[in-house]
Amino acid sequence: MTEGLAGFLAAYTAEAEEHLAAADAQALLIDASLRKGESNARAVRELFRALHTLKGLSAMVGVEPVVAVTHRMETALRAADRAGGRLSLPTLETLLRGLQTVASQVRALADGRDAPEAPRGLLDALAALEADVARADDAEVRLDLDPAVARSLAPFEVQEIARGARAGRRAVRVDFVPSRERAEAGQTITTARERVGRVGDIVKVVPLSVAATERAPGGIAFALVLLTSASDEAVAEAAWAEPASVRVVAAPRAAEPEVNATRGDEPEVASLDVGRRDAVRVDRARVDAVLDALAPVFASRARVSAEVTSLRAAGGDTRAIAAALSDDARRLRELRAAVLRLRMVPLAEVLGRVNLVVRGLQRSSGKLVRLEVDAGDAECDKVVADQVFPAVVHVVRNAVDHGVETPEERRRAGKPEEATLRVVGRQRSSAEVEVTVSDDGRGVDAAAVASRAGEPAPADDEALLAMLCRAGLSTRASASAVSGRGMGMDIARRVVEGLGGALSMRTEAGAGTSFTMRLPTTLSVVDVFTFECGAQRFAAPLSAVDEVIEADAPVRGPSLGAGAAVAMVERGGAMIPMVDLEAALGMGDGRGARRKAMVLRRGGEALAFAVDRVLGLQEVVVRPLTDPLLRVRGVSGAADLGDGRPTLVLDLAALREAVGGGAA
């Protein structure tokens, strides 16, 4: 990428990810149609358009590795579009490999690295597809272009212009020159490219260094080369240029009009860019800044509420101010909900990516699996979505590799050869979502798991899940490319619990297994328990606490970890281990008398943390601790409770691991 275009990187990666998501969705629709023995002309056309737009966008900012892959892909798709959407499964497999490669290239750019070149094997496979649909009469065409622009055109782009000319379209060039005034009016290269893309097919966008003049104050211009049937006036208007500045690159030839693959009963679908005209792309950091600005407002409301309580206790009449405070609280909740909706992404968008994972697992395992994904209209915070997807992948890999039988085994068991794997997302409430991964396979063999663990068979599914999630435990004798290292379920549990959620399991021999992940909708604004321990005040997410109990008459118990003062306390007629929170945090020896205990249940067994006093429930904005020097295991962030003093928000699940509670 050229140095002058580095500022376009964030916008490029954001838009490229949108086009990749659209391409993935269309590829999956094509796959579903092919498995039914049908073609899907609309999906093929939309996949072609998504890749064509992505190629033009990548060429504009100089990401040539992406251009090299997307061009070869769109060549094959153009031929399929002309053939009414006919595409073979092997061709689709190659195209899916191309999409995965482009996704990895875009992720590399988003992480601040150079986009890697595509694997030679993939380029060769795509080149074979390109050769299959190449036209024998793609002779060289004479282009009327400045040398600087002509040198930037790759051979395949010259061929694209030649094919367009034979189809009766003009190849023209129009320039867009950015300026401060144009930027203030919303006239940027991105909007210009979108507008020009509506009047023709953009072949190339070439950035040019020009002399800084009054016309080009930034010393940069963009030459847009496109194929179009529109007039010079329409092209110029789209690029905010003068009609006289539109130059013909290659004149049309009267010969063979391109075949439109649209069927008579299928309306033409508008370009992907048109559907996004009413969308506003906002960087997540800006939304986070709004949430940060809300934090003091929450704190002020808590402070006013405390003053009203004190005034009422002193005998004052607080009815009017209490009513105003209640109305203010309602409006603040509405404002918070509106801001949080800006960060929400459809759960269907996240879970839809599982389809590509399952396809790869089928190829590597030789098993037949039909995937059913249903997320309805459930949504969650993008931060939650990004973190939970790897956990879903681990559970899916575990289901296909361990749970689902081979076609031969399923036939012997009287089952269909093709197994069913369901991934379902549900919105349980405004504060919680649920993701369930279930299969109709063999179920989990508790005896085999216990044998590998060297322990008695677990009594129920909760205890079995706790055993499955032990790091290093696997029922495989040797590791495969998919599983066998004993890490998958342990990672899934850690991710889910790290988000403040819970992982559960139900299994039945011969009938299948389901794993359910209950997750908070957002990690930014949460309801917390506030409490005191020693001389400090803390908070813990409400979703992490199973129950608050009295810590009366504890008895000495077995040690759960070094430095942790451990006792046993009664809960519902049973004794559970209790760790002194002050000792667990390294703030004291844990010998003081505690009055309350917060019970945490994870992995089927309960553990209590002893504290001095529970203060109550409060809604807060959590600020994560990102400085490596401030990050402490068991502390997830900080919040202002209204008095100006920062209060640490605890990650009780991680704290349990730190004191050895995972073995409890």
Side-chain angles (χ1 to χ4, degrees), residues 293-481:
L294 275 178
V297 181
F298 280 106
S300 296
R301 181 167 66 87
R303 190 160 55 247
V304 172
S305 181
E307 292 296 331
V308 170
T309 301
S310 298
L311 182 61
R312 185 185 302 114
D317 185 358
T318 62
R319 287 174 295 180
I321 191 171
L325 189 62
S326 176
D327 185 61
D328 178 68
R330 177 181 58 80
R331 294 181 183 276
L332 187 56
R333 285 194 299 271
E334 292 174 352
L335 176 60
R336 181 205 70 172
V339 174
L340 289 179
R341 279 197 294 272
L342 296 177
R343 292 169 51 113
M344 294 296 176
V345 295
L347 205 54
E349 181 180 302
V350 180
L351 300 183
R353 292 149 55 193
V354 173
N355 205 315
L356 298 177
V357 177
V358 173
R359 288 182 62 91
L361 292 173
Q362 288 188 87
R363 287 195 301 269
S364 61
S365 67
K367 297 177 179 178
L368 302 177
V369 182
R370 183 178 76 256
L371 177 65
E372 298 177 359
V373 178
D374 177 17
D377 56 358
E379 293 182 321
C380 66
D381 192 299
K382 181 167 173 54
V383 175
V384 175
D386 290 344
Q387 293 188 40
V388 79
F389 182 69
V392 174
V393 170
H394 279 296
V395 175
V396 166
R397 289 165 68 95
N398 185 78
V400 175
D401 201 43
H402 291 285
V404 171
E405 311 95 332
T406 64
E408 295 77 13
E409 291 173 326
R410 292 182 66 85
R411 277 200 308 270
R412 289 196 297 268
K415 297 181 178 180
E417 290 187 1
E418 186 179 55
T420 300
L421 179 67
R422 303 191 75 236
V423 181
V424 178
R426 289 288 179 266
Q427 194 89 44
R428 291 181 57 89
S429 68
S430 60
E432 190 175 59
V433 293
E434 182 178 275
V435 178
T436 300
V437 178
S438 59
D439 63 74
D440 63 348
R442 60 172 63 91
V444 179
D445 188 339
V449 174
S451 176
R452 295 289 294 182
E455 295 185 5
D460 52 32
D461 287 345
E462 284 188 342
L464 177 57
L465 177 61
M467 193 174 288
L468 282 173
C469 291
R470 291 187 186 178
L473 177 68
S474 175
T475 56
R476 279 191 177 276
S478 60
S480 68

Side-chain angles (χ1 to χ4, degrees), residues 5 8 15 57 60-61 174-179 182-183 186-196 202 205-207 220-224 238-240:
L5 294 176
F8 292 95
E15 186 166 356
L57 179 67
M60 183 183 74
V61 296
V174 63
D175 290 357
F176 173 80
V177 182
S179 66
R182 284 188 164 181
Q187 299 176 7
T188 66
I189 180 57
T190 300
T191 53
R193 182 179 57 79
E194 291 177 350
R195 286 164 55 94
V196 171
I202 297 176
V205 180
V206 183
I220 189 172
F222 295 89
L224 293 89
W240 293 295

